[in-house]
Amino acid sequence: MGLASFRGGIHPYDGKELSKDKLVKEVLPKGELVYPLSQHIGAPAKPIVGVGDRVLAGQIIGEAQGFISANVVASVSGTVKAIEKRLVVSGNKETVIVVENDGLYETVPAIGQQRDYTKLSKEEIRNIVKEAGLVGMGGAGFPTHVKITPKDDSKIEYVIVNGAECEPYLTSDYRMMLEETEKIIKGLKVELSLFENATGIIAVEDNKPEAIKKLQEFVQSEERIKLQVLKTKYPQGAERQLIYACTGRKINSSMLPADVGVVVNNIDTSISIYMAVCESTPLMRRIITVTGDAIKDPRNFNVKTGTNYRELVEEAGGFITKAEKIISGGPMMGLALFSLDVPVTKTSSALLCMTKDEVAKYEPTACIRCGRCVKACPCKLIPQKMYECANNFDNEGFVKLNGMECYECGCCTFVCPARLRLTQAFKQTRRSILDSKKK
């Protein structure tokens, strides 16, 4: 069981010791719940409730529109207060459904009903996953029912559960590997029932020895599941790097993992598949890491989707001192927030609160052609040349340099001695190119 890895990458301070050893704490919302209709890649859901309607926990309130879309499910019982535009994590205003929590937490009748997945057809399993509103919970939010419905089931050879959790400070998946081990395995077995020729792989970085030990105990009796220990390095958990480390197969931005016979899901997605299929429970909760040196009691919380971020800070004891930088997600790929009045969604993973904004204190200088960005890039790109194109609004040149293969991991910016805002420039350029294609 050797260590698997990839070329490139970096080793930032991981900050995981702040929250990794504390049990997950369940938190019930105090105020209203806000459910954006777009919590996934693809078409936004369509509201199927109206203002004044009473809803139950587990009830579909936003219906998927098209194949690549996902249902939105109420996480509490209460009354629909509004359907309007509100601020979300991205900084944009999007259509949301606002539910006034009645504190009763009444559920739809079937919630919690036990089911034997071995007695369900493939179509039934996929429909259950679709109805439950499952999406990839590692950050991208790709609808899970689409991911587990490739063109040919027989060509899927690997189903990988991504337990790398390489993003600094995040420990929610780690806690789940320790506290919900059996559900992870059972969720993977549900997936394997869809792909008769596949082997299950649970991939974990070697900085998580306790999780590795516990998972190994569970998989040793499983004929179709194995544990793959990965070298600790960022971005080991990125889909392309993970697939290469585990299978030796390569994909690019124009491909899906299924094109090389692979399906990849996050740890919490695997748990959610088990809960949906075997416990009749749709996606209504997230495990979120609330951490950083500005937080009094960093830890992981089990929270209802739609909960206000400000309530999470309160549950973590509040701020020790003023937070100069607040990020939804991790420091490498998260989104900086200017307001805590945004809702937890299916793709929320962490709330990172720092006393100092380390990035703001550095002023960019001229590139010295040191090549560190090239060495660090996990996609084997040339960030220095891409940056020149981005600065000159040379979209054609950016594309010729394979700039669209960049997935904005931040490795180049991290190692740049000139403190150039490389990732930010690439993000803007890629967005500009994609927007022009749509037009």
Side-chain angles (χ1 to χ4, degrees):
M1 189 172 64
L3 295 183
S5 193
F6 62 96
R7 172 201 170 279
I10 56 175
H11 295 86
Y13 165 66
D14 70 12
K16 294 181 186 289
E17 74 282 354
L18 295 173
S19 60
K20 72 182 183 70
D21 295 324
K22 298 174 184 176
L23 290 171
V24 174
K25 178 183 177 183
E26 185 173 9
V27 175
L28 294 178
K30 298 171 184 175
E32 63 188 19
L33 285 295
V34 177
Y35 304 96
L37 290 169
S38 184
Q39 301 182 37
H40 50 269
I41 288 175
K46 177 184 177 182
I48 55 172
V49 292
V51 175
D53 288 353
R54 186 165 189 270
V55 298
L56 301 175
Q59 178 180 333
I60 297 172
I61 57 176
E63 190 172 60
Q65 297 298 294
F67 185 56
I68 302 181
S69 186
N71 290 337
V72 175
V73 178
S75 58
V76 299
S77 57
T79 304
V80 177
K81 186 178 176 181
I83 299 175
E84 61 189 19
K85 297 274 188 180
R86 286 213 186 173
L87 184 71
V88 296
V89 165
S90 66
N92 299 321
K93 284 195 171 184
E94 295 183 2
T95 303
V96 304
I97 297 173
V98 183
V99 174
E100 190 68 46
N101 182 12
D102 62 15
L104 300 176
Y105 300 100
E106 291 184 64
T107 64
V108 294
I111 291 284
Q113 181 179 325
Q114 297 295 308
R115 280 191 289 228
D116 182 353
Y117 76 91
T118 64
K119 296 179 180 178
L120 298 172
S121 69
K122 291 183 180 182
E123 184 180 3
E124 286 173 324
I125 289 173
R126 286 171 172 138
N127 283 337
I128 289 168
V129 169
K130 181 179 180 180
E131 287 296 301
L134 268 59
V135 302
M137 296 163 78
F142 195 83
T144 304
H145 70 276
V146 179
K147 193 176 286 189
I148 61 174
T149 311
K151 292 179 181 178
D152 187 348
D153 294 347
S154 66
K155 291 186 178 180
I156 300 300
E157 297 178 67
Y158 297 99
V159 177
I160 302 174
V161 178
N162 185 355
E165 198 168 44
C166 60
E167 181 81 32
Y169 290 93
L170 274 61
T171 58
S172 56
D173 283 349
Y174 174 72
R175 289 312 313 174
M176 289 295 94
M177 285 185 267
L178 293 179
E179 298 180 36
E180 300 282 10
T181 319
E182 189 172 4
K183 290 182 180 180
I184 296 168
I185 304 299
K186 287 182 176 178
L188 177 52
K189 290 172 77 171
V190 172
E191 287 189 81
L192 288 173
S193 72
L194 302 173
F195 309 112
E196 56 273 8
N197 298 326
T199 296
I201 299 174
I202 302 177
V204 188
E205 284 190 322
D206 67 343
N207 65 347
K208 304 174 180 65
E210 293 301 315
I212 291 169
K213 180 182 177 182
K214 190 160 186 184
L215 286 163
Q216 189 62 58
E217 292 173 0
F218 276 81
V219 304
Q220 61 186 1
S221 61
E222 298 290 343
E223 292 183 1
R224 296 181 64 194
I225 300 175
K226 67 177 184 178
L227 185 67
Q228 176 64 65
V229 180
L230 307 170
K231 183 178 179 181
T232 299
K233 179 167 60 169
Y234 178 85
Q236 188 71 265
E239 197 168 64
R240 296 181 210 173
Q241 278 58 52
L242 185 76
I243 290 171
Y244 178 76
C246 292
T247 71
R249 301 178 182 187
K250 299 178 181 180
I251 63 170
N252 58 42
S253 63
S254 66
M255 301 169 67
L256 294 173
D259 294 332
V260 292
V262 181
V263 169
V264 181
N265 275 313
N266 168 265
I267 285 286
D268 208 7
T269 307
S270 185
I271 293 172
S272 298
I273 288 172
Y274 164 77
M275 292 175 66
V277 176
C278 302
E279 295 188 349
S280 307
T281 303
L283 183 51
M284 301 185 290
R285 66 98 180 99
R286 274 286 350 207
I287 310 300
I288 293 188
T289 307
V290 181
T291 187
D293 63 356
I295 292 291
K296 188 174 182 180
D297 182 23
R299 64 187 309 152
N300 290 283
F301 295 107
N302 180 337
V303 304
K304 305 287 187 186
T305 53
T307 301
N308 190 282
Y309 269 39
R310 193 174 298 280
E311 292 182 30
L312 304 184
V313 174
E314 293 171 6
E315 285 292 336
F319 294 126
I320 297 173
T321 184
K322 183 181 178 182
E324 196 172 279
K325 185 86 167 184
I326 300 177
I327 299 172
S328 177
M332 300 303 295
M333 295 190 73
L335 295 171
L337 299 178
F338 59 84
S339 172
L340 282 170
D341 290 317
V342 292
V344 170
T345 66
K346 301 175 187 180
T347 57
S348 298
S349 59
L351 183 61
L352 176 60
C353 305
M354 309 299 290
T355 56
K356 299 292 181 184
D357 185 348
E358 294 294 331
V359 176
K361 69 182 182 182
Y362 293 109
E363 283 298 321
T365 60
C367 173
I368 60 173
R369 304 291 195 273
C370 67
R372 292 183 190 178
C373 57
V374 177
K375 186 177 180 181
C377 179
C379 295
K380 302 180 182 179
L381 303 176
I382 309 175
Q384 165 209 328
K385 301 298 290 181
M386 289 162 54
Y387 186 68
E388 290 177 5
C389 290
N391 270 356
N392 292 321
F393 303 101
D394 181 5
N395 289 358
E396 185 178 341
F398 186 86
V399 171
K400 286 181 179 178
L401 288 165
N402 292 319
M404 298 307 287
E405 293 299 314
C406 170
Y407 55 82
E408 303 158 16
C409 69
C411 286
C412 54
T413 302
F414 182 82
V415 300
C416 180
R419 305 291 178 180
L420 298 177
R421 309 284 198 261
L422 299 168
T423 309
Q424 184 177 348
F426 302 157
K427 183 177 291 189
Q428 292 171 342
T429 302
R430 292 177 74 248
R431 186 176 299 163
S432 171
I433 292 169
L434 291 171
D435 286 345
S436 64
K437 283 184 179 179
K438 288 179 183 177
K439 291 176 182 178

